[in-house]
């Protein structure tokens, strides 16, 4: 970066102590701030340079000394200088920004996933263990956290200034953002996209905790059912097990271990099975028919809530075998085949 670490720390601490800048509370924050201060520095340098040149030339070539203008014809060195130097600065800024972009939008493989649903005017966080929060988010420090977000109504934008993260939250589509908190404490959540008359009230708070305290919070906040368990119940109640049992005669593709794999659709397109694909396949199955199967699956648009879709996605993500599907099918068949107990005074047909 070309700036003394001591000077950098002095600058950062001065900004924080003067309340002009949010705390650097995530691993990505120093990288974002470095680019931001570089742009600010270049802007100030440009303003000062142009201002100084305008002042000097105004004095040097003022009318009293040069009543008649003298035309100066081209200078290759001068033109090359004012072309190459700005171009080099723009290229450095572009490469720097691109590297930062890829760092921000590519979460580490070991990221912990939390779902966030935005709606007027609240944030609802759902942890894989079944813990639910409204306008609050508990996370451990030192652990990459990915947020998979969606809106139930209008456009929102999820922002945690102290972590230097901000991402649009869009109706009907998952978006993600990740961060890794570096210090414990409470930090603001804002919606930075105007979303209605009570937009200013769509705020919340992130509580960054030590891993031990986070595990304690998880155990004390459990709702008794994980998202995957809720999804398993919904999967059975909607009758999905009838077609996605994994048997040779099944009318739908085997879902065990399908998450993260590549599927070939009937139109020849190859897709990666991720959260967004699973959600779309549930709501618009006719557009995601797996090769070798018929388009017989009905749409569940309007029949499953956004929370229910998250449960189903989480269940399929963690589905590594069809053992429990078969168990549910056998139990269901057993219940259907169970003979009724004759009541007193009646005879059973033979």
């Amino acid at each position: 970066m070309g700036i003394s670490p001591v000077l950098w720390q002095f600058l950062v601490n001065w900004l924080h102590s003067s309340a002009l800048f949010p705390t650097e509370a995530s691993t990505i924050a120093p990288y974002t701030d470095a680019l931001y201060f570089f742009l600010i520095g270049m802007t100030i340098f440009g303003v000062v340079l142009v201002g100084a040149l305008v002042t000097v030339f105004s004095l040097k070539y003022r009318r009293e000394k040069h009543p008649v203008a003298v035309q100066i014809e081209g200078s290759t060195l001068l033109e090359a200088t004012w072309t190459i130097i700005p171009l080099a600065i723009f290229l450095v800024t572009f490469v720097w920004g691109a590297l930062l972009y890829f760092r921000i939008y590519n979460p580490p493989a070991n990221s912990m996933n939390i779902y966030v649903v935005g709606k007027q005017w609240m944030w609802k966080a759902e942890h894989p263990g079944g813990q639910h929060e409204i306008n609050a988010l508990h996370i451990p420090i030192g652990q990459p956290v990915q947020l998979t977000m969606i809106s139930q109504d209008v456009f929102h934008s999820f922002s945690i200034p102290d972590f230097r993260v901000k991402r649009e939250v869009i109706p009907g589509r998952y978006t993600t953002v990740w961060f890794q908190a570096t210090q414990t404490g409470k930090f603001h959540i804002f919606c930075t996209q105007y979303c209605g008359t009570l937009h200013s009230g769509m705020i919340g708070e992130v509580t960054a905790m030590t891993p031990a305290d986070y595990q304690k919070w998880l155990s004390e906040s459990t709702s008794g059912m994980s998202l995957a368990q809720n999804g398993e119940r919904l999967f059975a109640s909607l009758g999905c097990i009838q077609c996605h049992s994994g048997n040779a005669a099944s009318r739908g593709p085997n879902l065990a271990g399908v998450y993260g794999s590549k599927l070939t659709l009937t139109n020849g397109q190859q897709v990666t099975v991720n959260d967004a694909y699973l959600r779309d396949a549930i709501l618009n199955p006719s557009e995601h028919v797996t090769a070798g199967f018929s388009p017989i699956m009905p749409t569940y648009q309007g029949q499953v809530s956004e929370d229910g879709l998250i449960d189903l996605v989480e269940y399929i993500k963690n589905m590594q075998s069809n053992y429990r599907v078969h168990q549910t099918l056998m139990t269901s068949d057993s219940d259907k085949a169970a003979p009724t107990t004759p009541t007193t005074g009646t005879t059973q047909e033979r």
Side-chain angles (χ1 to χ4, degrees):
M1 184 175 60
I3 185 171
S4 165
V6 175
L7 180 60
W8 175 258
Q9 285 301 316
F10 170 78
L11 178 62
V12 170
N13 292 335
W14 177 77
L15 286 170
H16 291 166
S17 60
S18 61
L20 292 176
F21 219 66
T23 306
E24 287 183 342
S26 73
T27 54
I28 203 69
Y31 297 98
T32 308
D33 290 353
L35 178 58
Y36 179 76
F37 287 130
F38 173 78
L39 293 174
I40 292 293
M42 287 297 100
T43 303
I44 293 175
F45 175 77
V47 169
V48 172
L49 178 63
V50 171
L53 290 175
V54 169
T55 303
V56 169
F57 290 147
S58 298
L59 294 174
K60 185 176 181 180
Y61 298 105
R62 63 184 184 275
R63 188 174 182 180
E64 290 78 5
K65 285 192 172 183
H66 299 273
V68 179
V70 178
Q71 183 67 30
I72 300 175
E73 296 295 339
S75 169
T76 304
L77 177 62
L78 182 61
E79 291 181 2
T81 301
W82 73 39
T83 301
I84 293 175
I85 291 179
L87 177 63
I89 294 174
F90 289 145
L91 288 177
V92 167
T93 307
F94 171 77
V95 173
W96 194 346
L99 293 175
L100 184 60
Y101 174 87
F102 288 117
R103 181 188 289 270
I104 290 174
Y105 284 95
N106 289 295
N110 63 337
S111 297
M112 179 181 72
N113 189 59
I114 299 175
Y115 295 93
V116 173
V117 179
K119 61 182 295 187
Q120 294 174 322
W121 287 273
M122 57 180 279
W123 300 106
K124 182 178 181 181
E126 301 189 31
H127 297 254
Q131 295 81 5
H132 300 280
E133 303 182 79
I134 302 294
N135 292 335
L137 179 63
H138 286 74
I139 57 165
I141 62 171
Q143 166 74 46
V145 177
Q146 174 178 292
L147 303 182
T148 300
M149 304 181 290
I150 194 166
S151 170
Q152 280 191 345
D153 39 46
V154 299
F155 275 71
H156 300 282
S157 187
F158 186 90
S159 173
I160 308 174
D162 296 285
F163 293 174
R164 307 294 191 273
V165 294
K166 171 185 174 297
R167 191 64 193 261
E168 286 65 39
V169 183
I170 303 170
R173 196 177 84 187
Y174 286 138
T175 56
T176 60
V177 68
W178 80 275
F179 51 79
Q180 180 174 327
T182 55
Q183 58 182 271
T184 59
K186 295 182 181 297
F187 308 99
H188 293 294
I189 299 173
F190 293 111
C191 176
T192 52
Q193 171 74 42
Y194 181 73
C195 56
T197 53
L198 297 182
H199 159 71
S200 61
M202 193 168 175
I203 56 177
E205 192 173 73
V206 178
T207 303
M209 319 167 79
T210 63
D213 288 341
Y214 178 69
Q215 290 302 321
K216 182 181 178 183
W217 177 83
L218 285 178
S219 61
E220 292 175 350
S221 307
T222 181
S223 60
M225 296 278 285
S226 68
L227 298 182
Q229 288 172 321
N230 288 330
E232 183 180 16
R233 293 178 59 180
L234 191 56
F235 192 77
S237 66
L238 293 172
C240 308
I241 56 174
Q242 300 297 333
C243 295
H244 296 287
S245 63
N247 295 329
S250 296
R251 293 181 293 175
N254 182 10
L255 299 182
V258 73
Y259 187 83
S261 66
K262 285 189 177 298
L263 282 182
T264 302
L265 305 184
T266 51
N267 59 7
Q269 181 186 2
Q270 279 210 327
V271 295
T272 300
V273 180
N274 52 23
D275 294 42
Y277 173 80
L278 290 174
R279 182 183 182 280
D280 290 343
I282 294 169
L283 297 179
N284 303 297
S286 61
E287 298 178 5
H288 303 84
V289 181
T290 305
F293 294 90
S294 301
I296 59 173
M297 180 173 166
T299 177
Y300 288 92
Q301 191 91 42
Q303 300 180 47
V304 183
S305 67
E306 208 58 64
D307 291 339
L309 288 169
I310 289 174
D311 293 340
L312 284 172
V313 168
E314 191 66 16
Y315 170 60
I316 297 172
K317 280 173 65 174
N318 291 280
M319 189 177 178
Q320 297 303 317
S321 76
N322 289 301
Y323 175 76
R324 290 183 62 83
V325 172
H326 294 162
Q327 291 292 312
T328 305
L329 278 171
M330 290 174 60
T331 303
S332 175
D333 292 342
S334 175
D335 290 343
K336 290 177 182 176
T340 56
T341 303
T343 57
T344 305
T346 63
T347 57
Q348 200 169 4
E349 291 186 0
R350 296 177 183 276

